């Protein structure tokens, strides 16, 4: 039971997000805060808001919201992809004395309705969406709607009309640290999402933590593209930018992402492992890894090549880069480090407002997620479960006292459900989820996460899942990027891929105990997307859904006796 309690310094009222925003409204009035691409209809143009302009717009919407007469603390939903209006909506909701309820912009209608009804949302602000028609049935009849620019929704009050016709809120409300600011619904790997209740303290403590770790200043730039409905983007981008007064750029679309990155030239950048791998694959598509390795090893020329790669990725100004949500292959970490980009691995959950541990610059260790951050205590239970406690943790689950009691101990420790261990320097390693362990027919328990991490080092795999309950040996189901499938229709290309993956499988099995060794890897044609229901909005595999979908094939795959099984659509 090792404990890592840092000295937690209390925040001051001036650290709270609204108070910070009021400060920059005056001190950085003419400095750009938000930069928004205006889409194809805008001809590729972008729109900037200074701090004064953004706060004026938010104040006008706040005054309009307040005039609706909702009770203090009423929930107001935001359903949109990341935009400048998303941030201004959050600020407006807070200034009006209400609580923001983010809704992922790509949920199925049924889940949208669950969240809106469970949260008792009184109004919904709808913004830019990829498929408004699919999500529309999830909005209860009669729920008032406000549409921001770039929104396709009909029958709504227009944000632009509110801003034009409503005088700005004159007062500057200063809610306390424990005042509820937002309900963050978990991405839901199983069952109904739960609404974590977070006060303004969660924003203040985590924003200060990020500032301290990466030495954030008002001159820094961030690109916001991971869903703001998820706690990570609010912890890494929204909160810290409001704390120090720095600039936020927004991405237009997946197709323009590289151009968006190059426009923003962020100084700190956070991404999930799958995207870091995709960036690497994009580089390899232009130059084979062996040739690139040779060039990077040449003095002077190697430095030029590395800078060119980072510049083409739009990452040449990045001082610190982060990754979380899933294990990242060690060779990917090493590759970026050789480019001159240290990826700081972090560990956090919705309930902790996304921050528990982080790799400190220059103190990383492959396979570990770093040390406890300045606003979080971390220890292990007698069973090895990771327990955390801190002032940025949730106040509980909204309207779910029973589930809150199941998750939190009486003295405030959060039971994460993750099994971990510390090294001698106090760095934490996540071994796996306690509930994800399964027993083979030989009576042996298998923890899938570490095996998936090793298998995922084969970066031509986009995602994988280890399963095999009641089978003699575990096995894996793996998904490939869609662009690979066309080339793999050629017999020679597929054979080469099969041999390469089989060699990797042998290398992985050599590192595992006998009962953990994978019997085979099944390559499946289906794409595991949010829309198909196979993954959460944060790209975590929904194990129960994947297992249920492919379970009818398990026996057949096992009887084939092949190391690599191809499952066509």
């Amino acid at each position: 039971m090792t404990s890592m309690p840092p000295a937690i310094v209390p925040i001051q009222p001036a650290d709270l997000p609204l108070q910070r925003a009021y400060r920059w409204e005056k001190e950085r009035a003419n400095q750009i805060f938000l930069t928004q691409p205006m889409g194809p209809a805008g001809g590729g143009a972008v729109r900037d808001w200074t701090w004064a302009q953004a706060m004026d717009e938010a104040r006008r919407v706040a005054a309009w919201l307040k005039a609706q007469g909702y009770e203090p603390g009423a929930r107001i939903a935001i359903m949109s992809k990341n935009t400048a209006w998303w941030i201004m909506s959050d600020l407006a909701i807070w200034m009006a004395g209400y609580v923001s309820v983010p809704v992922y912009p790509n949920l199925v209608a049924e889940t949208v309705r669950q969240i809106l009804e469970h949260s008792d949302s009184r109004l919904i602000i709808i913004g830019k969406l990829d498929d408004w028609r699919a999500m529309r049935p999830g909005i209860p009849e009669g729920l008032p709607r406000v549409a921001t620019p770039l929104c396709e929704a009909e029958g709504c009050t227009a944000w632009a009309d509110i801003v034009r016709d409503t005088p700005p809120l004159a007062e500057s409300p200063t809610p306390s640290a424990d005042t509820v600011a937002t309900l963050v619904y978990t991405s839901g790997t199983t069952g109904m999402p739960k609404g974590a209740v977070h006060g303004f303290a969660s924003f203040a403590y985590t924003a200060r933590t990020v500032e301290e770790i990466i030495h954030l200043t008002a001159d820094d730039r961030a690109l916001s593209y991971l869903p703001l409905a998820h706690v990570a983007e609010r912890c890494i981008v929204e909160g810290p930018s409001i704390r120090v007064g720095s600039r936020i750029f927004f991405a237009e679309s997946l197709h323009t992402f590289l151009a968006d990155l190059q426009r923003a030239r962020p100084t700190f950048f956070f991404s999930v492992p799958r995207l870091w791998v995709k960036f690497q694959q994009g580089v390899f598509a232009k130059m084979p890894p062996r040739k690139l390795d040779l060039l990077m090893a040449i003095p002077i020329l190697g430095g030029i090549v590395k800078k060119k790669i980072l510049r083409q990725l739009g990452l040449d100004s990045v001082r610190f880069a982060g990754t979380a949500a899933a294990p990242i292959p060690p060779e990917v970490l090493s590759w970026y480090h050789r480019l001159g980009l240290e990826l700081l691995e972090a560990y956090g959950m919705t309930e902790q407002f996304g921050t528990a541990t982080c790799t400190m610059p220059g103190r990383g260790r492959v396979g570990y997620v770093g040390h406890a951050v300045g606003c979080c205590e971390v220890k292990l239970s007698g069973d090895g479960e990771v327990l955390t406690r801190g002032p940025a943790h949730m106040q509980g689950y909204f309207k779910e006292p029973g589930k809150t009691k199941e998750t939190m101990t009486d003295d405030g420790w959060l039971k994460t459900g993750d099994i971990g261990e510390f090294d001698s320097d106090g760095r934490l390693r996540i071994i796996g989820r306690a509930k994800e362990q399964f027993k083979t027919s030989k009576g042996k328990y298998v923890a899938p996460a570490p095996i998936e991490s090793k298998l995922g080092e084969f970066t031509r795999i986009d995602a994988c899942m280890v399963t095999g309950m009641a089978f003699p040996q575990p096995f894996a189901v793996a998904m490939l990027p869609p662009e690979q499938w066309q080339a793999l229709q050629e017999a020679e290309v597929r054979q080469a891929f099969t041999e390469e993956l089989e060699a990797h499988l042998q290398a992985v099995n050599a590192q595992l105990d006998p009962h953990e060794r994978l019997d085979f890897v099944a390559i499946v044609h289906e794409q595991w997307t949010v829309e198909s229901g196979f993954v959460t909005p944060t790209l975590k595999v929904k194990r129960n859904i994947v297992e249920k979908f492919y379970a009818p094939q398990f026996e057949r795959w096992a009887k084939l006796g092949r190391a690599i099984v191809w499952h066509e659509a």
Side-chain angles (χ1 to χ4, degrees), residues 179-192:
T179 299
V180 178
T182 190
L183 303 186
V184 184
Y185 278 82
T186 58
S187 51
T189 52
T190 58
M192 165 65 190

Side-chain angles (χ1 to χ4, degrees), residues 183-341:
L183 303 186
V184 184
Y185 278 82
T186 58
S187 51
T189 52
T190 58
M192 165 65 190
K194 300 184 291 289
V197 179
H198 280 285
F200 287 101
S202 296
F203 285 87
Y205 276 103
T206 55
R208 186 181 68 185
T209 295
V210 172
E211 177 191 18
E212 292 171 347
I213 292 173
I214 65 175
H215 314 300
L216 199 66
T217 73
D219 294 326
D220 279 299
R221 300 181 299 276
L223 177 68
S224 179
Y225 69 99
L226 293 175
L228 275 163
H230 185 250
V231 72
E233 191 76 349
R234 299 177 88 188
C235 163
I236 299 295
V237 174
E238 183 189 26
S241 295
I242 291 175
R243 175 175 174 82
V244 302
S246 58
R247 186 174 178 179
I248 304 175
F249 290 77
F250 295 90
E252 180 177 331
S253 69
L254 183 63
H255 301 296
T256 65
F257 187 71
L258 187 56
D260 295 327
L261 255 179
Q262 291 170 338
R263 176 194 300 118
R265 295 180 62 249
T267 55
F268 69 101
F269 183 73
F270 178 84
S271 190
V272 294
R274 278 178 67 177
L275 291 178
W276 284 115
V277 171
K278 282 186 176 295
F279 289 162
Q280 183 193 46
Q281 291 172 340
V283 173
F284 289 167
K286 296 180 180 179
M287 183 177 294
R290 290 183 182 178
K291 182 178 179 181
L292 185 58
D293 286 343
L294 289 173
L295 289 175
M296 289 198 297
I298 300 173
I300 301 178
L301 177 61
I304 295 172
V305 171
K306 294 173 187 178
K307 288 180 180 179
K308 183 178 180 181
I309 291 172
L310 290 174
R311 185 170 61 252
Q312 289 177 340
L313 290 173
L315 301 176
D316 53 313
S317 294
V318 172
R319 294 183 294 108
F320 294 102
T323 183
I328 188 168
E331 65 196 44
V332 176
L333 280 175
S334 176
W335 186 79
Y336 279 104
H337 198 271
R338 288 177 60 203
L339 282 181
L341 203 60

Side-chain angles (χ1 to χ4, degrees), residues 408-444:
M408 306 288 292
T409 65
D410 292 339
D411 54 350
W413 289 93
L414 173 73
K415 294 182 279 189
T416 66
D418 290 317
I419 303 299
E421 63 182 19
F422 294 112
D423 69 3
S424 58
D425 191 49
R427 285 174 291 233
L428 177 67
R429 182 166 80 96
I430 302 299
I431 298 172
R433 293 287 292 174
K435 293 181 180 179
E436 289 174 355
Q437 294 186 19
F438 60 87
K439 187 185 289 187
T440 66
S441 62
K442 297 177 182 178
K444 297 285 189 177

